[in-house]
Amino acid sequence: MTDFTFRVWRGDETGGGLQEYRVPVEEGMVILDVIHRIQATQANDLAVRWNCKAGKCGSCSAEVNGKPRLMCMARMSLFSADEPITVTPMKTFPLVRDLVTDVSYNYEVAKQIPTFKPGPPEPDGTYRMMQEDIDRAQEFHKCIECFLCQNVCHVIRDHPDKMRAFAGPRFFVRIAALEMHPQDIHSRTDLLRTKAGLGYCNITKCCTEVCPEHIHITDNAIIPLKERVVDDYYDPVVWLIKKVAGKK
Amino acid sequence: MALDKYETHEYDMIVVGAGGAGLRAAIEASAQGVRTALICKSLLGKAHTVMAEGGIAAALGNIYPEDNWQVHFRDTMRGGKMLCNWRMAQLHAQEAPARVLELEAWGALFDRTKDGRILQRDFGGHRYARLAHVGDRTGLEMIRTLQQHAVHKGIDVFMECTIFRLLKDGDRIAGAFGYWRDSGRFVVFKAKAIVLATGGIGKAWKITSNSWEYTGDGHSLSCWAGADLMDMEFVQFHPTGMVWPPSVRGILVTEGVRGDGGTLTNLSGQRFMFNYIPDFFRAETAETVAEADRWYTDKKNNRRTPDLLPRDEVARAINAEVKAGRGSPHGGVFLDIATRRDPEYIKRRLPSMYHQFKELADVDITKQSMEVGPTCHYVMGGVRVDADTTATTVPGLFAAGEVAAGMHGANRLGGNSLSDLVVFGRRAGLYSAEYAKNFQGTLTIDVGQIEAMARECLEPFERSGTENPYTVHQDLQECMQSLVGIIRTEGELKKALDEIGVLRERTRRIKIGGNREYNPAWHQALDLHSLLTVSEIVTRAALERKESRGAHTREDYPKTDPAFGKANVVVRQVNGEITVPQEPLPEMPDDLKKLFEGDK
Ligand SMILES: Cc1cc2nc3c(=O)[nH]c(=O)nc-3n(C[C@H](O)[C@H](O)[C@H](O)COP(=O)(O)OP(=O)(O)OC[C@H]3O[C@@H](n4cnc5c(N)ncnc54)[C@H](O)[C@@H]3O)c2cc1C
Ligand code: SF4
Ligand code: SF4
Ligand code: FES
């Protein structure tokens, strides 16, 4: 058991600041355990989101010493007891209270993405898909909607006004999952070019760096989507063929 | 604190809970053309369903064409020690394949067989490889598919909104009362019908795979509203939870590890499950290591490994090994897949287990054994429902998913929950919508009642007490863990009832500081109402069942008693007191009985 110093952001949209807590830490604990210990013993009303405590639900996103991460997967053994540990809420989203932010923007974007639309199934009513053809889309389906990538993307962070015209990396991943689903017949390139604002992304890769699911957001989702937009809109022949023949 | 005005919303029907069952119910109801709202305590997509790992059981017959609904039905009934509601088990086995294919048609991408069909994996108690899955993150695939399908259906979603009580007009459901977690403000929903899909109760135990949401709200809400509950003595302890380090104790290790070839061993390296084969399953279980190992690839000529006996058997066996001093250093047993399968296979089939052990326990499961032990996981008991329509005993109230009783009897087979959610979620949506459409009368909500509830919620801010809600919760968890755990006795159960009474007194002295905005201490204090209610219910039901069956083991009644095999313990609140009458189990028709001929 070692004592650590935690500086936790406390407050709401009207103001607040870092509060200091001394907490005993045992072997194996993660940042979220320490936050819960502070909550149970020193600051009962400390607001924090969590569910699974195992990196599966994407609820406990925050910034630890300025680094965006899941609190439930941040082992205390990564940190030294000599330095205080700072825990702050995700910067980009409006604050609700303490470590909890208003992530509703993400749910609004989700509503605007046309859903999966399959072609006709096999005569027996099922779909045949080869594993190698779904590997890529399955990578995107690993997304736990922690919104850490949205949090670090400078397009969203520096231009809150763009929030409305920019879907953000999480939703590029989502659109890529649909576009690369072998059975989907809907095209979302128009959405990408216009409302989703794919053009604003200048491939800084900050999103990929923070993804706890290690999804290659830029290389596997964003760049191929950018190529599709170019294909569909700047090559009239490709565009026309696709329009007539349905998407392949 | 002043009693402010509350907001009111009116719908044909509301679904409380946005896991697999709630989402599927809402999708169905809105498809029936009724105005539907979906309410959940967490953000959308974060319900327990997201954590499900191993898979969804459905007799698709993709690996073994011999598989069909009768075999699945039989496995489910036997896994549930014949206490399942036969009609629910039948509907479930018959409809699960269509529901899985529907998920695929809505965009889910399950792992594939070589010829491009849905791959199925072995799980405990299932005769054939039956679980459709995506690595070990099947729940994520399922909830995301349903969620993305639902958001385009014009369903209004109320997230981080907790329902505190159901409202009735006379005998009927009329709506629900709750609060927004962020603002702390009250909200009233007027509705003709309600589907409860609130999940389980596992947060009443200390070692648990369940999250903060599993405080038994749906169970308690319906009990307070006069609905019958049933089978509440049956709480499943999953045999394999993490045991080390202490902070991760209880986090689930999927049965898929054993399904994919992992074995349980004790301190001396012995595969001890061979010593714990019960007579009930002897005829279908391998007796030698060699046969068990052959079974993975040849199910026709070999019997199932005892490592994949139903969960109640395995949990008790681990418990016994540890008690006998043959456990692992941190009080569990070993689960080994490293010496049995190559690293690539393990990482591909069990990516999140690999990640979880590596990140949280510094264990590389491709090189080392895991240490595992039982963890509170699932409640078979719940609200008593009509098998076909999911209607409870209160008009207008329906229930589906983990909160409903009957489907799993005395013990649930792995993978049968995810399929239960979509089979009965759909039915709940369908029949509640039908009820709402046919409902002719008018419903009035008593304003005085709402104001009384609001005052009750705010009391902890105004008291002068000194109790801390987190401490009361921890003490309840200690009590349930030590007195109402895997092995039970009358003396301990009675002691638990006394302790629950004391804890209830203590909740009346809880004092909450701070204000109403996103105040987890306040939420915890309010959740204690339902936690204490379900804890009492489980304990009373456990006292009533004086036998051992499935997940309910009584040290003082170690045998299975045929008389109890014909009865459900029903839970009913009468004049504010919990009663536990026994009622006869519905009798299975003869054509289905034939499937069990020659069984022990
Ligand atoms: C780690 C883990 C792994 C599992 N793996 C498998 C598996 O591989 N296969 C399988 O079949 N089963 C598995 N299970 C079991 C299965 O996941 C659950 O039983 C199932 O997901 C429950 O679904 P549900 O829809 O009933 O409830 P949940 O998904 O738990 O959803 C409950 C919903 O109710 C809401 N709610 C609760 N109370 C209130 C209230 N008072 N007001 C408003 N909303 C409320 C919650 O916010 C939530 O949205 C697993 C469980 C766990 C914990
Ligand atoms: S790569 Fe694009 S989406 Fe990702 S953080 Fe950078 S700008 Fe944002
Ligand atoms: S893509 Fe990765 S970082 Fe972004 S929300 Fe999904 S899991 Fe989180
Ligand atoms: S609590 Fe679920 S990801 Fe951290």
Side-chain angles (χ1 to χ4, degrees), chain A residues 59-71:
Chain A
S59 301
C60 64
S61 305
E63 300 188 7
V64 181
N65 292 340
K67 190 174 170 222
R69 58 198 308 166
L70 297 177
M71 284 187 278

PDB file of all heavy atoms in Angstrom, chain A residues 59-71:
ATOM      1  N   SER A  59     -17.211   3.767 -21.240  1.00  0.00           N
ATOM      2  CA  SER A  59     -17.887   4.802 -20.452  1.00  0.00           C
ATOM      3  C   SER A  59     -16.920   5.729 -19.723  1.00  0.00           C
ATOM      4  O   SER A  59     -17.258   6.858 -19.420  1.00  0.00           O
ATOM      5  CB  SER A  59     -18.772   4.159 -19.375  1.00  0.00           C
ATOM      6  OG  SER A  59     -19.737   3.323 -19.945  1.00  0.00           O
ATOM      7  N   CYS A  60     -15.721   5.222 -19.368  1.00  0.00           N
ATOM      8  CA  CYS A  60     -14.903   5.890 -18.350  1.00  0.00           C
ATOM      9  C   CYS A  60     -13.790   6.753 -18.935  1.00  0.00           C
ATOM     10  O   CYS A  60     -12.737   6.909 -18.322  1.00  0.00           O
ATOM     11  CB  CYS A  60     -14.328   4.838 -17.406  1.00  0.00           C
ATOM     12  SG  CYS A  60     -13.197   3.711 -18.251  1.00  0.00           S
ATOM     13  N   SER A  61     -14.011   7.303 -20.121  1.00  0.00           N
ATOM     14  CA  SER A  61     -12.991   8.134 -20.752  1.00  0.00           C
ATOM     15  C   SER A  61     -12.720   9.398 -19.947  1.00  0.00           C
ATOM     16  O   SER A  61     -13.646  10.051 -19.474  1.00  0.00           O
ATOM     17  CB  SER A  61     -13.470   8.545 -22.147  1.00  0.00           C
ATOM     18  OG  SER A  61     -13.811   7.405 -22.891  1.00  0.00           O
ATOM     19  N   ALA A  62     -11.441   9.736 -19.817  1.00  0.00           N
ATOM     20  CA  ALA A  62     -11.037  10.980 -19.148  1.00  0.00           C
ATOM     21  C   ALA A  62      -9.605  11.268 -19.558  1.00  0.00           C
ATOM     22  O   ALA A  62      -9.014  10.526 -20.351  1.00  0.00           O
ATOM     23  CB  ALA A  62     -11.144  10.836 -17.633  1.00  0.00           C
ATOM     24  N   GLU A  63      -9.044  12.342 -19.020  1.00  0.00           N
ATOM     25  CA  GLU A  63      -7.648  12.643 -19.327  1.00  0.00           C
ATOM     26  C   GLU A  63      -6.822  12.484 -18.057  1.00  0.00           C
ATOM     27  O   GLU A  63      -7.116  13.100 -17.044  1.00  0.00           O
ATOM     28  CB  GLU A  63      -7.553  14.048 -19.924  1.00  0.00           C
ATOM     29  CG  GLU A  63      -8.387  14.127 -21.203  1.00  0.00           C
ATOM     30  CD  GLU A  63      -8.223  15.408 -22.008  1.00  0.00           C
ATOM     31  OE1 GLU A  63      -7.356  16.237 -21.669  1.00  0.00           O
ATOM     32  OE2 GLU A  63      -8.980  15.563 -22.987  1.00  0.00           O
ATOM     33  N   VAL A  64      -5.833  11.615 -18.142  1.00  0.00           N
ATOM     34  CA  VAL A  64      -4.977  11.346 -16.985  1.00  0.00           C
ATOM     35  C   VAL A  64      -3.614  11.964 -17.287  1.00  0.00           C
ATOM     36  O   VAL A  64      -2.981  11.592 -18.279  1.00  0.00           O
ATOM     37  CB  VAL A  64      -4.849   9.834 -16.731  1.00  0.00           C
ATOM     38  CG1 VAL A  64      -3.977   9.581 -15.507  1.00  0.00           C
ATOM     39  CG2 VAL A  64      -6.222   9.200 -16.561  1.00  0.00           C
ATOM     40  N   ASN A  65      -3.207  12.910 -16.462  1.00  0.00           N
ATOM     41  CA  ASN A  65      -2.015  13.717 -16.745  1.00  0.00           C
ATOM     42  C   ASN A  65      -2.054  14.246 -18.181  1.00  0.00           C
ATOM     43  O   ASN A  65      -1.067  14.227 -18.899  1.00  0.00           O
ATOM     44  CB  ASN A  65      -0.730  12.911 -16.506  1.00  0.00           C
ATOM     45  CG  ASN A  65      -0.521  12.588 -15.041  1.00  0.00           C
ATOM     46  OD1 ASN A  65      -1.110  13.251 -14.163  1.00  0.00           O
ATOM     47  ND2 ASN A  65       0.290  11.596 -14.741  1.00  0.00           N
ATOM     48  N   GLY A  66      -3.223  14.661 -18.587  1.00  0.00           N
ATOM     49  CA  GLY A  66      -3.384  15.260 -19.912  1.00  0.00           C
ATOM     50  C   GLY A  66      -3.538  14.255 -21.040  1.00  0.00           C
ATOM     51  O   GLY A  66      -3.813  14.629 -22.172  1.00  0.00           O
ATOM     52  N   LYS A  67      -3.366  12.964 -20.735  1.00  0.00           N
ATOM     53  CA  LYS A  67      -3.467  11.965 -21.799  1.00  0.00           C
ATOM     54  C   LYS A  67      -4.857  11.326 -21.804  1.00  0.00           C
ATOM     55  O   LYS A  67      -5.278  10.751 -20.798  1.00  0.00           O
ATOM     56  CB  LYS A  67      -2.389  10.902 -21.569  1.00  0.00           C
ATOM     57  CG  LYS A  67      -2.265   9.965 -22.737  1.00  0.00           C
ATOM     58  CD  LYS A  67      -1.094   9.005 -22.588  1.00  0.00           C
ATOM     59  CE  LYS A  67      -1.208   7.969 -23.688  1.00  0.00           C
ATOM     60  NZ  LYS A  67      -0.937   6.626 -23.332  1.00  0.00           N
ATOM     61  N   PRO A  68      -5.574  11.404 -22.934  1.00  0.00           N
ATOM     62  CA  PRO A  68      -6.920  10.816 -22.985  1.00  0.00           C
ATOM     63  C   PRO A  68      -6.849   9.299 -22.932  1.00  0.00           C
ATOM     64  O   PRO A  68      -6.116   8.686 -23.703  1.00  0.00           O
ATOM     65  CB  PRO A  68      -7.451  11.263 -24.353  1.00  0.00           C
ATOM     66  CG  PRO A  68      -6.535  12.344 -24.807  1.00  0.00           C
ATOM     67  CD  PRO A  68      -5.210  12.074 -24.178  1.00  0.00           C
ATOM     68  N   ARG A  69      -7.588   8.690 -22.009  1.00  0.00           N
ATOM     69  CA  ARG A  69      -7.571   7.234 -21.907  1.00  0.00           C
ATOM     70  C   ARG A  69      -8.761   6.721 -21.101  1.00  0.00           C
ATOM     71  O   ARG A  69      -9.499   7.490 -20.502  1.00  0.00           O
ATOM     72  CB  ARG A  69      -6.271   6.764 -21.282  1.00  0.00           C
ATOM     73  CG  ARG A  69      -6.009   7.340 -19.894  1.00  0.00           C
ATOM     74  CD  ARG A  69      -4.553   7.199 -19.501  1.00  0.00           C
ATOM     75  NE  ARG A  69      -4.119   5.808 -19.668  1.00  0.00           N
ATOM     76  CZ  ARG A  69      -2.837   5.426 -19.665  1.00  0.00           C
ATOM     77  NH1 ARG A  69      -1.887   6.310 -19.501  1.00  0.00           N
ATOM     78  NH2 ARG A  69      -2.525   4.161 -19.800  1.00  0.00           N
ATOM     79  N   LEU A  70      -8.928   5.395 -21.121  1.00  0.00           N
ATOM     80  CA  LEU A  70      -9.953   4.767 -20.301  1.00  0.00           C
ATOM     81  C   LEU A  70      -9.400   4.643 -18.889  1.00  0.00           C
ATOM     82  O   LEU A  70      -8.332   4.056 -18.688  1.00  0.00           O
ATOM     83  CB  LEU A  70     -10.282   3.369 -20.831  1.00  0.00           C
ATOM     84  CG  LEU A  70     -10.869   3.271 -22.233  1.00  0.00           C
ATOM     85  CD1 LEU A  70     -11.057   1.791 -22.600  1.00  0.00           C
ATOM     86  CD2 LEU A  70     -12.205   4.004 -22.327  1.00  0.00           C
ATOM     87  N   MET A  71     -10.130   5.136 -17.914  1.00  0.00           N
ATOM     88  CA  MET A  71      -9.627   5.062 -16.542  1.00  0.00           C
ATOM     89  C   MET A  71      -9.566   3.628 -16.024  1.00  0.00           C
ATOM     90  O   MET A  71      -8.770   3.303 -15.170  1.00  0.00           O
ATOM     91  CB  MET A  71     -10.517   5.899 -15.627  1.00  0.00           C
ATOM     92  CG  MET A  71     -10.278   7.381 -15.774  1.00  0.00           C
ATOM     93  SD  MET A  71     -11.220   8.282 -14.533  1.00  0.00           S
ATOM     94  CE  MET A  71     -12.826   8.341 -15.300  1.00  0.00           C
TER      95      MET A  71
END
